[in-house]
Amino acid sequence: MKLNRKIIPALLMAAIGAGAVAQVESGGVVRRRSENERNKKESAQPGVTDRMTGFYESKQAHEADLEYMRQIYRLIDLEKPENSPLYFPEDVVDGQENLFRLMFRLVTEGKLPGYEYLDGREVFTDKYKINVGEMLDRFDIYYTPGEGSTEKNPKYAIEESDVPSGQVNAYYIIEKWEYDRRTNRMRTRVEAICPVLTRMGDFGGEARYPMFWVKFDALRPYLAQQYIFLDNDNNLARYSLDDYFNLGMYDGDIYKTQNLKNLSMVQMFPDEDDLKRAQDSIDNRLNTYGKEVWVPTREEYLAQKAAEEERARLAAEGDTITDRTVLIADSGEKETKRATKKRASTKSKKQPKSVASSNSNSSAAKSVRRRKK
C-alpha cells in the first residue's frame, strides 16, 4: 500500500512532464507559408499591412438582402473643377503622388493586379489580368528590364519622365447602387477605377484609350495615405483620396449603364438634349429610390394621417396659407410643413366701448368716492 502511494505521484509527474514537452514541441513547429501569404508579404509596402488591407475591404451585401441594384459607369473628367484634385500633384512631391502615378506604379511593380478593359463586360478574374509588358508596349511607354528581372518574374524600370501622367485627363469608374432591405437605405460604392489616356487619333482629333481596371477595395489602403486639397482657396490637405471617392466629392457623367444590349448612353440617345435628359433621369431615380420604397412606422402613419385631416379641415374653412420649408435641427433634413393661420375675420372681434357705458362707469366711480367722503 505504501509502495502504491509512492508510485502514483511519480506517474502523475511523468505524465505532466510529457505533456509539457509535447506542448513545447508543438509550439516550436515551423509552419510553411502558403503562396498567397508570400505574395501578400512581398506586395506590402511600408505603411500598408495585411490588417489595413482587410480593414478597407468592403463586405458586399448578399443578393437575398438586396431590393434593388444598378451598375453605373461614369466618366470623371479632370477638366471639371470638382475633379482637378485627382491631377495634383503633377510630379512626385515629398512622396505624394497623383492618382494615376500611384495606380501605374502599383500595377507595374506587381503590387496590385490590373484587369483588361472589356467595354461593359468587365470580369475581375485571373483570366483577364493584364500582361504589364504588353500593356506598356501597346501604349508606347518606354521601359527597361528592372533589377532581378527574369522571364517568369519580369520587372520593369520606368523613368519618371516616361510616365504619361500629363496625358491622363479622365478616369472611368464603376459605381454600384444597392438598396439593402435590412437597413432600408441606399448604399453607393465604387467598384473599380480605370485611367484613360487622351491622345491624338489616327484621323485627327482627340481619342480616349482606357488602360486597365484596378479594383477599388485593393487600392484603398494606398489611397488613404495620399492627401489632397480640394480648391485653390484653402491649400490645406485635409482629405485623402479614399475620402474623396467614398464621400462622393467627384463629379462624373454617366456614359453607360449595365443593360441587356451592352449599349452606351450615346448609342441609345444620339441627340445631346435627349442624352442629358436621360442622364438626369437616371441620377434622379437613384437618389430618390430609397424614398419611394420607404414604409413608415405606425406612429409616423398616424401622424401623417392626422396632419392630412387637419389640412383638409382648414382647406374647407379657407384658413390655409401657402406651404413653407423649415429645417429640423435634430435630423438635419428639410421637411415641408403646412403652416396655418386663422383669419382675422374668424377671431372674436373686440367690441368698442360705447360712450354711454364709459360715462356710466365713470359716474359710478365718482358716486363711490362721494360716499366714502
Side-chain angles (χ1 to χ4, degrees):
M1 191 69 180
K2 292 182 180 180
L3 181 61
N4 291 338
R5 289 179 180 178
K6 294 180 179 180
I7 293 176
I8 291 174
L11 294 175
L12 290 175
M13 293 299 294
I16 293 173
V21 172
Q23 185 176 1
V24 172
E25 290 179 354
S26 63
V29 171
V30 178
R31 184 175 62 87
R32 188 175 182 180
R33 287 195 181 97
S34 64
E35 184 177 355
N36 293 332
E37 290 176 344
R38 289 198 301 271
N39 293 336
K40 284 184 178 180
K41 186 174 181 181
E42 292 175 358
S43 63
Q45 71 172 16
V48 176
T49 62
D50 293 342
R51 183 177 181 182
M52 289 180 62
T53 304
F55 175 79
Y56 285 106
E57 289 180 357
S58 59
K59 185 178 180 181
Q60 298 185 11
H62 195 274
E63 292 184 358
D65 298 327
L66 295 180
E67 180 73 21
Y68 175 87
M69 190 278 286
R70 192 162 192 183
Q71 188 164 293
I72 304 294
Y73 293 77
R74 291 188 185 272
L75 170 66
I76 308 297
D77 189 357
L78 299 189
E79 297 295 331
K80 293 185 177 181
E82 296 85 356
N83 303 327
S84 56
L86 298 180
Y87 193 77
F88 176 85
E90 184 176 359
D91 298 321
V92 181
V93 179
D94 295 333
Q96 295 293 311
E97 305 170 290
N98 61 29
L99 179 59
F100 173 72
R101 284 184 178 274
L102 177 64
M103 295 176 60
F104 186 77
R105 177 175 61 82
L106 294 174
V107 170
T108 54
E109 292 179 357
K111 295 181 178 180
L112 287 182
Y115 298 91
E116 293 288 347
Y117 181 85
L118 301 177
D119 193 18
R121 293 188 175 91
E122 278 63 37
V123 182
F124 303 116
T125 61
D126 293 342
K127 180 180 178 181
Y128 295 98
K129 286 183 179 179
I130 63 170
N131 184 298
V132 177
E134 293 179 358
M135 183 269 296
L136 296 175
D137 294 335
R138 186 191 317 155
F139 296 108
D140 297 326
I141 301 174
Y142 181 75
Y143 66 92
T144 57
E147 184 179 356
S149 177
T150 60
E151 185 177 354
K152 293 184 178 181
N153 186 21
K155 296 183 180 180
Y156 309 92
I158 305 172
E159 298 293 335
E160 288 293 335
S161 57
D162 294 326
V163 178
S165 177
Q167 300 177 9
V168 176
N169 297 323
Y171 293 89
Y172 290 150
I173 66 171
I174 301 177
E175 282 182 349
K176 272 197 174 180
W177 293 70
E178 300 171 336
Y179 188 85
D180 193 339
R181 66 180 69 183
R182 295 182 305 169
T183 58
N184 288 329
R185 59 188 293 267
M186 181 71 82
R187 178 190 178 194
T188 310
R189 60 186 178 89
V190 179
E191 188 176 20
I193 305 177
C194 174
V196 181
L197 280 176
T198 304
R199 290 178 174 174
M200 296 299 296
D202 296 335
F203 302 98
E206 292 185 345
R208 288 174 175 163
Y209 300 95
M211 297 184 68
F212 51 82
W213 288 105
V214 173
K215 296 187 70 174
F216 183 71
D217 285 349
L219 190 61
R220 286 187 66 188
Y222 304 92
L223 297 180
Q225 299 183 6
Q226 304 293 326
Y227 282 83
I228 57 175
F229 61 89
L230 301 180
D231 53 52
N232 297 325
D233 183 59
N234 187 357
N235 299 146
L236 182 64
R238 298 181 299 168
Y239 296 93
S240 66
L241 285 173
D242 184 56
D243 298 329
Y244 180 84
F245 284 102
N246 283 299
L247 297 177
M249 298 179 180
Y250 56 87
D251 182 12
D253 296 328
I254 300 175
Y255 76 92
K256 191 171 188 176
T257 61
Q258 193 174 37
N259 56 82
L260 298 176
K261 294 184 179 181
N262 194 33
L263 299 177
S264 66
M265 297 291 291
V266 175
Q267 291 173 323
M268 292 190 291
F269 305 97
D271 185 73
E272 292 185 2
D273 295 335
D274 293 340
L275 175 63
K276 181 61 178 174
R277 282 192 292 268
Q279 291 172 337
D280 294 341
S281 176
I282 294 173
D283 278 328
N284 183 64
R285 167 70 170 166
L286 295 173
N287 292 322
T288 60
Y289 182 84
K291 299 178 181 178
E292 296 175 358
V293 299
W294 173 255
V295 179
T297 62
R298 182 176 181 274
E299 291 75 11
E300 291 174 341
Y301 173 76
L302 294 176
Q304 182 179 1
K305 186 177 180 180
E308 291 177 354
E309 292 176 353
E310 182 67 13
R311 287 198 295 267
R313 183 184 67 80
L314 294 174
E317 296 177 359
D319 292 336
T320 59
I321 62 174
T322 57
D323 295 348
R324 59 192 177 98
T325 302
V326 296
L327 186 65
I328 300 178
D330 295 338
S331 61
E333 299 178 354
K334 289 185 176 180
E335 180 178 317
T336 303
K337 291 186 176 181
R338 186 177 295 273
T340 59
K341 185 178 180 181
K342 292 287 184 180
R343 287 185 178 179
S345 59
T346 60
K347 294 183 179 180
S348 57
K349 297 181 179 180
K350 296 182 179 180
Q351 298 295 333
K353 295 182 180 179
S354 62
V355 177
S357 61
S358 60
N359 292 337
S360 61
N361 292 338
S362 60
S363 61
K366 289 180 181 179
S367 63
V368 171
R369 294 191 190 99
R370 288 171 184 171
R371 291 193 189 100
K372 288 182 180 179
K373 291 180 180 179

